[in-house]
Amino acid sequence: MTALLSIRDLSVRYRRDGVEATALKGVSLDVEAGERLAIIGESGSGKSTLALAIAGLLAGDAKTGGRIEWFLPASHPRLGRDIGFVFQDPSSSLDPVMPVGKQIAEVARTHLELTWPEAYAKAKTLLERVRLPDPDSALRAYPHQLSGGQKQRVAIAAAIAAAPKLLIADEATSALDTIVQAEIVALIRRLVAEDGMTLLFISHDIALAATLADRIAVLRHGELVELGETGQILDAPRHAYTRALLDAHLGLDAKPLLDRQGTPA
Amino acid sequence: MSVLAVSNLAKRYHRGGKPFAAVDDVSFEIGPAETLALAGPSGSGKSTIARLVLRLIEPDAGRIDFEDSDFLALSGAALRARRARIQMVFQDPLAAFNPRATVARVLDDPLRIHGIASRAERPRRIAALLERVGLDAGLAAHAIHEISGGQRQRVAIARAIATRPSLIVLDEAVSALDVSVRGQILELLLDLQRRERIAYLFISHDLGVIRAVAHRVIILDAGRIAESGDARAVVTNPQSAIGKALVAATPKLIRNRP
Ligand SMILES: Nc1ncnc2c1ncn2[C@@H]1O[C@H](COP(=O)(O)OP(=O)(O)OP(=O)(O)O)[C@@H](O)[C@H]1O
Ligand SMILES: Nc1ncnc2c1ncn2[C@@H]1O[C@H](COP(=O)(O)OP(=O)(O)OP(=O)(O)O)[C@@H](O)[C@H]1O
Ligand SMILES: [Mg+2]
Ligand SMILES: [Mg+2]
C-alpha cells in the first residue's frame, strides 16, 4: 500500500476565553491510499479536530504543531476538489435558499471546469448515484423539502462531485435513525468502492465503524491510543481503553443489564 | 394493577394541509417497577406518545389512566398534584434547564413547588438526592453549564425522583451520552427502579439499549403499534417488517474472541 497522507506529531491547541486547551497531542499516522480508516473515540477526544486539520478547515486561532504531508500531484490539496467533507448535520452544509441541483452543479463547475449545462448533467448523474428518488425533480428541490436522510444523500453527492481522492465523513450518520443510518453507510461503502476513494469515517460508535472500516484508530483525550486492523481491534485490542469501549457496547447479543428471573441468559 | 394504562390513543397533525395520524389507536399498560420501551424509526410517534402521556399535549381520542384514575379528566390543583407522580427526562438536559441556574436551584424547584420539604429542610434533601444519583454534594453550588453531560443527566434524574414519582418518561435520555457514561446512567436507572419501584416509559432508537434494560417493547411504525412483546424475544426474533428492518439495520459488533 502507498500512503495518501502522512501525519507526524500533530498537535492542535484551541484558545477559548483566554485559556488554551489541547485538542490533539502528538498524533502520528499514515492514511493509505484506497483504505477505509475509521477514527473513533468519545466526545471531545479530538476526532473532528483531526478531520478538520486534514481538510485544512481548522479555525484561524487554532495553534497547530507537527505536519501533514500529502502524496498527491497537487502539493496543496483543495477542499471540494481533492477532499470531500460530509458533516453530521446536512442542513449546515447545504444552502437553504438554493435548489440542491445548483449546489451540486456549482461544485462540479468550480473544480472540474465544466459549463453550467455540463455541471447540471453531472449533478443529475450524482443524484442518481446517491439513489435519490426522481433525480429530475430532486434537482429543483430545496433542502427543507427533503428528509434528513435525503439531505445527507445530497450532501454526499456534493462532496464527491469533483471526484476527490479522500472522502471525510464526520459523524455523517449520527443524526439519522437506525434504518436510514444503515442506508447511508451502505451508500458510502458503494461510492468509495466504485470511485476508489480513500475514506476517513469518524464515529463515536465502534460497532458502526467496524461495519465499514479496514482499520480503526482510537482517540482518547487528544491522543492516538491504538491503531490497527478492524479484526485486531475487535478481537485483540491492545489498549485497555479500547477494551473498555468494546465492553460498554450494548449489542443485540450483549448480556442484558436487567437480570430477569426465568429468562435464560 | 397498572401504573399507566393507555387505550386507543390518537393524535393528528397537519402536513401540507392534509391531516395525518402521528399516533393512531395506540394502547398499552405499564406495571409498577416495569420498563416498557418504545422503539421505531424517526417520525413513528414515540415523542408524541411521551408528550401525550405527560399531558404536554392533548389527544384527539383515547383514554389515559394513571394510577387507576382518569388522567385526562384532571385539571387545576388535582392535575398539578398528580403531575408530581409522573416525571420526565429528555435527551438534552441543557435544553430543559436554565444553564445559568445552579444544581441546587434545579433540585430546589420541585421540592418547593410540590410542597415536599420546608425551606429549612430542602438543602439536606438536595444533598440526599445528589448522593442518590451518585453525585458529590459539592456539585450543588455549580451552574448547570459548568458540569459534564453525564453529570447533567444525573441531575435531571435527581430532579425527576425528587417528587417520588411512580412513572418516569425517558425520551432518548441516554442517546447523547458517551458509552461509558451511558452504562453508568442505565445502571443508576435500574437501581432506582429496584429500590423505589419506579416504572419507566423508555424511548430509544437503539435496540441494543432497549434489550439491555427494558422488560417489554413496543415497535411503532407511522404512529401504529407494529408489534409488541418481551424485549429480548422481540429483538431476537422480530415479527413485523419494521421490527425486522430495525434489527437488520443495527450495527453488529462481531468479535471472534479466541
Ligand atoms: N473551535 C474550538 N474552540 C475551542 N475549543 C474547541 C473548539 N473545537 C473543539 N474544541 C475542544 O477541543 C476538544 C476536541 O474537540 P473535538 O470537536 O475535536 O472532539 P470530537 O472527538 O469531535 O467530539 P464529539 O464526539 O463531541 O464531536 C474538546 O475539548 C473541545 O471542547
Ligand atoms: N407539533 C407538531 N406539528 C406537526 N407535526 C408534528 C408535530 N409534532 C410531531 N409531528 C409529526 O408527527 C410525527 C411523529 O413525530 P414524533 O416526534 O412523535 O416522532 P419520533 O418517533 O419521536 O421521531 P424521532 O425518532 O425523530 O424523535 C412526525 O411525522 C412529526 O413530523
Ligand atoms: Mg466531533
Ligand atoms: Mg422523538
Side-chain angles (χ1 to χ4, degrees), chain A residues 78 101-120 122-123 126 161-162:
Chain A
R78 272 170 61 189
K102 188 170 181 199
Q103 302 190 43
I104 300 168
E106 202 161 73
V107 181
R109 205 180 64 92
T110 313
H111 296 292
L112 301 177
E113 290 165 21
L114 302 179
T115 64
W116 273 114
E118 289 167 343
Y120 269 104
K122 175 92 187 164
L126 284 161

Side-chain angles (χ1 to χ4, degrees), chain B residues 6-255:
Chain B
V6 159
S7 19
N8 310 107
L9 208 57
K11 180 71 185 174
R12 278 182 302 278
Y13 285 119
H14 286 264
R15 184 189 285 147
K18 278 186 298 223
F20 80 99
V23 174
D24 192 2
D25 197 23
V26 165
S27 305
F28 59 80
E29 283 190 33
I30 311 179
E34 187 183 28
T35 299
L36 173 68
L38 296 181
S42 182
S44 58
K46 304 182 293 294
S47 296
T48 304
I49 291 175
R51 287 194 279 269
L52 288 166
V53 164
L54 292 162
R55 280 200 69 186
L56 300 175
I57 54 174
E58 297 293 309
D60 293 310
R63 185 181 164 95
I64 300 174
D65 288 287
F66 178 58
E67 295 185 323
D68 296 319
S69 70
D70 185 349
F71 194 45
L72 294 173
L74 296 180
S75 63
L79 176 61
R80 273 197 299 281
R82 190 50 64 95
R83 271 216 166 111
R85 305 278 301 156
I86 173 167
Q87 290 295 331
M88 64 200 116
V89 178
F90 294 135
Q91 173 166 347
D92 180 10
L94 252 196
F97 303 144
N98 171 359
R100 281 191 300 274
T102 61
V103 169
R105 181 60 203 264
V106 162
L107 297 178
D108 191 72
D109 281 348
L111 297 175
R112 181 173 43 84
I113 292 164
H114 293 288
I116 288 166
S118 68
R119 176 192 282 266
E121 210 186 323
R122 292 205 291 266
R124 212 166 35 78
R125 284 291 191 107
I126 290 167
L129 281 169
L130 287 173
E131 194 197 328
R132 191 70 203 82
V133 297
L135 291 174
D136 194 283
L139 214 68
H142 284 74
I144 287 295
H145 72 85
E146 291 172 346
I147 62 178
S148 74
Q151 289 173 327
R152 252 179 241 140
Q153 211 53 309
R154 285 181 195 268
V155 172
I157 293 168
R159 183 173 70 165
I161 61 172
T163 58
R164 300 200 147 272
S166 60
L167 174 69
I168 301 179
V169 176
L170 300 125
D171 191 350
E172 303 281 6
V174 299
S175 306
L177 301 175
D178 282 329
V179 286
S180 54
V181 181
R182 180 183 73 182
Q184 294 161 10
I185 298 288
L186 292 174
E187 294 283 5
L188 169 64
L189 289 171
L190 292 179
D191 183 56
L192 288 171
Q193 179 168 71
R194 271 192 295 266
R195 290 174 190 232
E196 294 169 36
R197 298 191 55 74
I198 303 171
Y200 296 131
L201 180 61
F202 187 94
I203 295 174
S204 175
H205 66 280
D206 187 333
L207 289 181
V209 170
I210 285 176
R211 186 176 167 284
V213 301
H215 298 93
R216 288 185 300 127
V217 64
I218 287 174
I219 297 188
L220 293 162
D221 188 15
R224 297 185 71 92
I225 296 182
E227 72 177 290
S228 64
D230 175 90
R232 274 193 241 186
V234 168
V235 171
T236 308
N237 189 16
Q239 298 299 311
S240 64
I242 194 74
K244 287 176 183 163
L246 283 168
V247 169
T250 302
K252 318 284 184 301
L253 192 58
I254 300 159
R255 299 168 76 178

Side-chain angles (χ1 to χ4, degrees), chain A residues 43 177 235 252 254 257-258 260, chain B residues 42 178 211-212 230 232 256:
Chain A
S43 180
D177 77 30
D235 296 334
L252 298 188
L257 301 175
L258 187 71
R260 276 184 290 164
Chain B
S42 182
D178 282 329
R211 186 176 167 284
D230 175 90
R232 274 193 241 186
N256 306 304

Side-chain angles (χ1 to χ4, degrees), chain A residues 82-207:
Chain A
D82 307 291
I83 305 168
F85 207 118
V86 185
F87 297 90
Q88 171 168 342
D89 176 11
S91 304
S92 68
S93 52
L94 296 174
D95 184 338
V97 296
M98 195 193 281
V100 299
K102 188 170 181 199
Q103 302 190 43
I104 300 168
E106 202 161 73
V107 181
R109 205 180 64 92
T110 313
H111 296 292
L112 301 177
E113 290 165 21
L114 302 179
T115 64
W116 273 114
E118 289 167 343
Y120 269 104
K122 175 92 187 164
K124 190 183 159 194
T125 313
L126 284 161
L127 288 178
E128 283 162 0
R129 286 194 67 201
V130 298
R131 306 256 163 94
L132 220 63
D134 194 1
D136 275 310
S137 62
L139 278 174
R140 293 186 300 274
Y142 288 88
H144 76 266
Q145 296 171 313
L146 305 174
S147 72
Q150 288 170 338
K151 270 187 275 201
Q152 203 56 294
R153 285 174 195 271
V154 169
I156 291 170
I160 65 164
K165 283 275 174 293
L166 176 66
L167 181 65
I168 302 177
D170 186 358
E171 302 277 8
T173 67
S174 306
L176 307 171
D177 77 30
T178 316
I179 293 175
V180 181
Q181 165 169 283
E183 290 168 3
I184 297 294
V185 166
L187 173 67
I188 291 174
R189 180 187 288 117
R190 178 168 60 77
L191 294 172
V192 164
E194 284 172 359
D195 292 3
M197 279 182 287
T198 305
L199 175 68
L200 209 59
F201 187 80
I202 290 159
S203 176
H204 64 279
D205 185 339
I206 193 168

